[in-house]
Structure formats: structure tokens, C-alpha cells
Amino acid sequence: MEKEIVTAKWLSNMAFEADVNGHKIILDAESEVGGEDRGPRPKPFMLLSLGCCTGMDVISILKKMRVDVKEFNVIVEGKLTDEHPKYFYKMNVTYEFTGKNLPIDKLQKAISLSEERYCGVSAVYKKVIELTSEIRVIEQ
């Protein structure tokens, strides 16, 4: 069974240096809660993980389908609860494609394969978070 390990080393106040796959990332809190704003907050990384996981799947599948996408963005919006502990109860993924005469059926198929079969982050999240998605195509 495969496993992943990350390390979060406390630096000072609220700051931690994370080691992820040999890459260092500093996470911190805003000054209002004792941080120094030396890096992003932890929760947005949940959104980023979903966006990059599904995005990598989609672009890989589209390359195999020989779909020529000029630009591709994945925008993930999360809604947090009002009370503590604040957690994401809903996330929406917008798949934004730029290109000429992009075949919408292939874009939808690639997204569906990622969301239903390949993206491990989405597989876990959809058990506890309402996940929705949409496609935006920019003709170029």
C-alpha cells in the first residue's frame, strides 16, 4: 500500500514550513490571530489540491484525445461554515478552456472521467462536501 508523508516544522508564532515532495512551502496566519502573514493559510490548499488533481487528469485525458487546448484554468471556490470549526461544506470547480473549435463533448468526457474515476482528492471530498462543476469555453 502506497503512502504519502508531509512534514510541518514549526518556525515561530503561527508559521510552519511544510516539506511536500521535497519542496518547501511556508504557511502562516494573518497578524490578527498571531501570525506574520509569511505565507498562505492551510485551508485554501484543500481547494488547490482539488483543482490541481482534477486539472492534471483533464489535461492528460485531453492530450490523449488530441484536443488542442491553448489555455486551461481550474478555478475552485469553497464555501465555509459560519461557526467553528469552520470547514468547507461546498466546493465548485470551474473548468475554463481557451481554444478554437473545442469539442464540448470531449471536454465533458475528460471532466467526467476525472471526477468519477481518476481524481483521488475529489473521491474523498465528495464523501463529505457537496461538489459541483461547470465548464467555461473561451473561443479564440
Side-chain angles (χ1 to χ4, degrees), residues 74-124:
V74 182
I75 303 141
V76 184
E77 180 182 338
K79 293 191 177 180
L80 290 164
T81 58
D82 291 329
E83 296 181 18
H84 290 282
K86 292 186 178 191
Y87 59 89
F88 291 112
Y89 67 91
K90 182 175 184 174
M91 291 183 186
N92 183 68
V93 181
T94 301
Y95 297 91
E96 184 180 79
F97 300 94
T98 301
K100 185 172 178 136
N101 298 322
L102 294 173
I104 193 73
D105 59 325
K106 289 185 178 182
L107 301 180
Q108 290 170 331
K109 173 88 171 170
I111 291 167
S112 177
L113 284 168
S114 174
E115 291 178 345
E116 302 303 321
R117 183 186 282 174
Y118 295 116
C119 179
V121 175
S122 124
V124 170

Side-chain angles (χ1 to χ4, degrees), residues 18-100:
D19 185 321
V20 182
N21 303 120
H23 301 277
K24 306 288 186 197
I25 303 166
I26 293 178
L27 289 88
D28 200 359
E30 59 275 351
S31 59
E32 295 80 29
V33 295
E36 298 170 30
D37 197 24
R38 294 170 57 187
R41 315 302 168 254
K43 270 186 251 184
F45 279 91
M46 293 179 68
L47 304 174
L48 183 61
S49 292
L50 175 59
C52 291
C53 180
T54 189
M56 288 178 189
D57 290 341
V58 168
I59 208 68
S60 173
I61 293 164
L62 289 175
K63 283 183 180 194
K64 290 175 186 165
M65 292 178 170
R66 292 181 165 70
V67 175
D68 185 25
V69 174
K70 297 296 180 207
E71 292 181 31
F72 177 50
N73 296 306
V74 182
I75 303 141
V76 184
E77 180 182 338
K79 293 191 177 180
L80 290 164
T81 58
D82 291 329
E83 296 181 18
H84 290 282
K86 292 186 178 191
Y87 59 89
F88 291 112
Y89 67 91
K90 182 175 184 174
M91 291 183 186
N92 183 68
V93 181
T94 301
Y95 297 91
E96 184 180 79
F97 300 94
T98 301
K100 185 172 178 136

